[in-house]
Amino acid sequence: MIKNIAQLNEKKEECFAKMTKSDAGEALTRVVVGMATCGIAAGATPVFKAIEQTIQELALSNITVTQTGCIGMCQYEPIVEITVPGEEKVTYVQMNAEKAAQVVKEHLANGKPVADYTVSAATE
Amino acid sequence: MAEQKTTAIKPLNKMNFYKKQQRLALRNCGVIDPESIDEYIAVDGYQALAKALTGLKPEDVIQIIKDSGLRGRGGGGFPTGLKWDFTARNSADQKYVVCNADEGDPGAFMDRSVLEGDPHCIVEAMALCGYATGATEGYIYVRAEYPVAVKRLEIAIAQAKEYGFLGKNIFESGFDFDLHIRLGAGAFVCGEETALMTSIEGNRGEPRPRPPYPAVKGLFGKPTTENNVETFANVPQIILKGAGFFAAMGTEKSKGTKVFALGGKINNTGLVEIPMGTTLREIIEEIGGGIPGGKKFKAAQTGGPSGGCIPVSLIDTPIDYDNLTAIGCMMGSGGLIVMDEDNCMVDIAKFFLDFTVDESCGKCSPCRIGTKRMQEMLEKIIEGKATMQDLEKLEELAHYIKENSLCGLGQTAPNPVLATMKFFKDEYIAHVVEKRCPSAQCKSLLRYVIDPEKCIGCTLCARVCPVDAITGEPKKLHVIDQEKCIKCGACMAACKRVQAISRI
Ligand SMILES: Cc1cc2nc3c(=O)[nH]c(=O)nc-3n(C[C@H](O)[C@H](O)[C@H](O)COP(=O)(O)O)c2cc1C
Ligand code: SF4
Ligand code: SF4
């Protein structure tokens, strides 16, 4: 039970830390998958699973993978966004399980974003 | 090389689609995990509620909302602070807060996205509204076709209860508030506020006459504040950051942003949130990335079946409540359908009217019978059987229905017809007088014809025609029998090399 502003602020600090830092205090890479009705209908669920599974296989650490709401670009779903600490967010579009696994291997494991799958490649 | 490639990746917020957008109602959508109250708290969640319950009087909350200039996003644009004030001023043993998540406008999904992407924000806003107006219970009326939204709302409500943001004595202020979800069957009329409340009460969702207004006699006969999802979505930020923060965005009388579901003949379909006062041109050319296939923009429909179209001549109109009303459209809940030169405006008007004919609840005759008659007249026009007198009658009937229907559904149902008649009268006249559809869309008026100058008599068309409407000797001119032709277009496709067949 949160009963006053002080407790809420304390909780906020704690939640913010949980979103951005590992237990050991290292900055986390954040991977979000658009999973509103539109994203799910376009196949976001297998994409989400593929990301989690590949991260596990490669034993990568300091990464959080989470679902989120609608990112807004219907025809580019499923959309995955990756924010590596200190870097600009990268938006991947029209993902499927294979592409997602490849992104985990190249972007998350090797630090090289897969330019071909990004929104700028899809729209230009 | 790889290095260079990575720098070429353009971040989303620098792309045209996002550059002109400003995310306020949608600020957490696509950012946080909607099923985690902790992530909501991490981005300032429930701070506004804490601030209000521990430091502001109910009337202060109402004053902030009034000063912000927030107006209802459900279509009507009524000032939200004023609405809350009305309910607050009526004393009663029980009052209610209702969130309208019926979202019946075909093609619209703004509210669904908010509920699925940021459900806690609605929970927080409704509690704030309850505190401001003296209500201790709230209902969220969601259509049953939104199972993901319903599930995430249920999770959010349970989490909020666990953390003490719903329930008894919230933030030890003595304020109690509880929330319930009610599922709607998806009838369009149930989005009308009085029908919605009747439906929550367990009765058939039919509108009732106003007055009495919900602020006096609403849900279960008690004073009730009813707002749209997107209206509520703006509330926590306004309370947290102050009225001035919100009032700084938008136009003189329409503050803040508006979310639109952009669809139809446009390159970038999707959900866009723009400051009020953005022009239609900016939405279509910049955010929307223009019209596919190099076609010309003709008009955009706002307000769905209750709204009207904005023609290309008014493409530089800044979008806000009053400008849209002035040109005979309405803001509506946020559907924005783009039409190009291939869309027949009579056909568009009929599309929306077909919808209202189906959705009229039938309680009052101007709407039930009147819209059906209008639909028949439009059919006559589309089939090339109408006279100029029919056009006059259509307009007259449209005004009669607007003035005499009981609820907003009937009062606005003729709008798509009136707006298209106002801006595209020439298209109506072409159907009636010349028996021709200028956009070559209306099947009954379409004709496929063979150009005698070009036809080489190869017989290809006659062979593909499914109803044997084409006759002619090999190497001689072929002719299409208009009586037999079903306008399938197969012959035109077959003659693609010679291109002797055209559609007029
Ligand atoms: C036929 C009809 C359908 C409506 N459908 C909706 C709807 O789906 N969602 C909505 O919020 N408002 C809808 N409205 C408007 C509501 O009656 C009401 O004005 C609105 O929800 C008030 O909230 P606001 O002041 O926050 O906009 C509809 C009105 C009519 C006449
Ligand atoms: S105007 Fe139409 S929808 Fe509204 S009460 Fe009358 S019949 Fe029903
Ligand atoms: S396919 Fe074209 S060229 Fe050949 S017979 Fe038909 S109209 Fe003439």
Side-chain angles (χ1 to χ4, degrees):
Chain A
M1 281 287 183
I2 292 170
K3 294 190 172 138
N4 51 49
I5 292 194
Q7 286 177 3
L8 181 64
N9 285 337
E10 207 175 295
K11 186 78 192 172
K12 181 186 161 181
E13 298 282 308
E14 180 197 317
C15 295
F16 190 76
K18 206 167 72 187
M19 264 174 93
T20 51
K21 288 200 189 78
S22 72
D23 292 341
E26 284 175 78
L28 290 174
T29 289
R30 187 169 166 88
V31 181
V32 300
V33 182
M35 292 182 82
T37 294
C38 43
I40 296 171
T45 311
V47 168
F48 188 89
K49 286 194 184 128
I51 294 173
E52 278 197 318
Q53 200 185 337
T54 317
I55 289 175
Q56 223 168 26
E57 279 165 18
L58 300 177
L60 303 178
S61 58
N62 295 336
I63 298 171
T64 56
V65 185
T66 180
Q67 60 174 351
T68 189
C70 174
I71 295 170
M73 299 175 293
C74 310
Q75 79 260 45
Y76 295 115
E77 298 279 4
I79 301 177
V80 175
E81 295 195 312
I82 296 184
T83 316
V84 175
E87 289 177 22
E88 195 93 61
K89 178 168 77 183
V90 178
T91 304
Y92 291 105
V93 298
Q94 289 168 336
M95 296 305 277
N96 57 33
E98 293 79 58
K99 288 184 186 173
Q102 189 190 341
V103 165
V104 172
K105 285 175 197 148
E106 297 187 19
H107 190 165
L108 295 180
N110 293 334
K112 291 204 181 82
V114 188
D116 288 352
Y117 300 162
T118 62
V119 66
S120 38
T123 52
E124 265 146 39
Chain B
M1 280 312 283
E3 243 46 337
Q4 267 177 7
K5 219 174 176 188
T6 37
T7 50
I9 299 173
K10 226 184 195 177
L12 195 59
N13 55 13
K14 305 236 166 60
M15 313 212 26
N16 282 339
F17 181 70
Y18 276 101
K19 244 191 286 180
K20 294 237 155 150
Q21 294 199 47
Q22 196 160 4
R23 300 222 148 187
L24 195 64
L26 298 177
R27 76 189 177 287
N28 292 330
C29 291
V31 178
I32 62 168
D33 178 355
E35 294 181 17
S36 160
I37 191 171
D38 286 354
E39 293 212 344
Y40 183 64
I41 290 174
V43 294
D44 283 345
Y46 293 104
Q47 292 280 347
L49 186 63
K51 177 178 170 181
L53 294 195
T54 60
L56 298 173
K57 293 198 285 290
E59 52 271 33
D60 300 336
V61 174
I62 291 177
Q63 194 60 47
I64 295 172
I65 299 295
K66 276 187 183 170
D67 292 343
S68 75
L70 177 63
R71 293 170 67 173
R73 301 297 195 240
F78 192 81
T80 306
L82 207 56
K83 192 184 249 188
W84 291 18
D85 199 14
F86 288 151
T87 317
R89 283 170 194 275
N90 291 309
S91 45
D93 53 344
Q94 176 73 56
K95 296 186 202 177
Y96 295 101
V97 179
V98 171
C99 175
N100 188 341
D102 192 54
E103 197 158 54
D105 181 352
F109 55 94
M110 304 74 54
D111 295 346
R112 187 189 74 203
S113 299
V114 172
L115 296 174
E116 291 180 348
D118 198 12
H120 278 286
C121 159
I122 300 302
V123 172
E124 184 177 7
M126 289 182 74
L128 280 163
C129 177
Y131 176 67
T133 60
T136 54
E137 259 187 88
Y139 285 85
I140 306 173
Y141 187 85
V142 199
R143 50 178 46 225
E145 291 108 308
Y146 285 1
V148 179
V150 172
K151 179 185 137 210
R152 290 187 182 158
L153 273 173
E154 282 168 349
I155 294 172
I157 291 172
Q159 290 174 338
K161 278 187 184 155
E162 192 191 316
Y163 278 57
F165 304 141
L166 287 177
K168 298 252 176 272
N169 198 17
I170 303 166
F171 287 113
E172 300 202 309
S173 63
F175 171 64
D176 305 336
F177 194 73
D178 218 339
L179 268 184
H180 315 278
I181 298 173
R182 283 291 176 274
L183 300 189
F188 182 56
V189 74
C190 286
E192 193 279 333
E193 56 184 18
T194 61
L196 182 143
M197 290 181 214
T198 317
S199 174
I200 294 178
E201 288 162 3
N203 299 313
R204 193 188 148 96
E206 278 182 358
R208 44 190 193 222
R210 296 176 308 179
Y213 283 90
V216 180
K217 242 179 137 201
L219 189 59
F220 303 113
K222 303 292 182 188
T224 303
T225 314
E226 192 257 15
N227 279 118
N228 165 261
V229 172
E230 190 187 329
T231 313
F232 278 129
N234 285 300
V235 165
Q237 287 290 296
I238 294 173
I239 298 300
L240 196 59
K241 296 191 176 159
F245 147 80
F246 190 79
M249 282 176 276
T251 61
E252 196 195 332
K253 288 187 179 150
S254 305
K255 300 301 184 187
T257 60
K258 179 78 196 84
V259 182
F260 285 100
L262 189 58
K265 306 279 185 63
I266 188 90
N267 277 317
N268 302 329
T269 56
L271 210 58
V272 303
E273 181 168 358
I274 46 162
M276 294 276 190
T278 305
T279 66
L280 185 60
R281 185 189 296 280
E282 290 171 292
I283 300 177
I284 290 171
E285 293 177 1
E286 296 177 43
I287 300 171
I291 317 267
K295 298 268 180 179
K296 279 211 254 343
F297 169 73
K298 188 189 250 182
Q301 178 87 8
T302 64
S306 317
C309 58
I310 310 172
V312 64
S313 56
L314 296 173
I315 193 170
D316 289 309
T317 308
I319 307 270
D320 73 5
Y321 290 103
D322 308 287
N323 283 341
L324 289 187
T325 309
I327 56 178
C329 294
M330 76 178 227
M331 179 71 84
S333 55
L336 188 68
I337 301 170
V338 181
M339 291 164 283
D340 69 6
E341 52 192 303
D342 288 343
N343 287 105
C344 165
M345 299 313 285
V346 184
D347 190 49
I348 292 286
K350 185 167 169 298
F351 169 82
F352 287 112
L353 200 67
D354 287 348
F355 178 83
T356 31
V357 167
D358 282 346
E359 295 289 340
S360 165
C361 80
K363 186 167 175 168
C364 66
S365 48
C367 170
R368 183 185 68 238
I369 304 170
T371 55
K372 185 78 196 148
R373 287 294 98 83
M374 282 182 73
Q375 187 189 33
E376 289 161 6
M377 288 179 186
L378 283 177
E379 265 158 25
K380 260 175 95 180
I381 297 171
I382 282 171
E383 284 167 9
K385 294 179 185 152
T387 62
M388 286 303 283
Q389 213 186 350
D390 288 322
L391 283 191
E392 271 167 44
K393 270 198 251 161
L394 178 64
E395 203 166 341
E396 218 173 278
L397 181 58
H399 288 293
Y400 176 81
I401 296 170
K402 275 177 81 76
E403 279 147 32
N404 293 289
S405 293
L406 174 62
C407 87
L409 191 149
Q411 288 157 8
T412 59
N415 287 352
V417 173
L418 287 172
T420 47
M421 282 184 94
K422 178 170 160 195
F423 295 120
F424 298 95
K425 193 69 177 264
D426 54 327
E427 290 197 20
Y428 279 84
I429 292 173
H431 284 76
V432 172
V433 178
E434 298 167 46
K435 312 289 175 207
R436 180 179 70 87
C437 172
S439 322
Q441 285 304 306
C442 296
K443 274 204 164 182
S444 337
L445 298 181
L446 265 188
R447 290 197 313 140
Y448 285 86
V449 288
I450 298 175
D451 183 345
E453 304 279 301
K454 288 191 185 156
C455 176
I456 55 165
C458 70
T459 75
L460 270 179
C461 58
R463 276 185 274 156
V464 299
C465 177
V467 293
D468 288 331
I470 305 180
T471 48
E473 300 278 306
K475 304 220 168 84
K476 293 212 177 103
L477 171 66
H478 280 55
V479 205
I480 302 174
D481 181 345
Q482 297 299 334
E483 293 290 305
K484 279 191 187 165
C485 174
I486 56 163
K487 338 258 180 202
C488 69
C491 57
M492 194 164 139
C495 189
K496 64 173 181 293
R497 199 174 53 82
V498 180
Q499 296 205 345
I501 304 183
S502 53
R503 185 169 63 186
I504 54 171

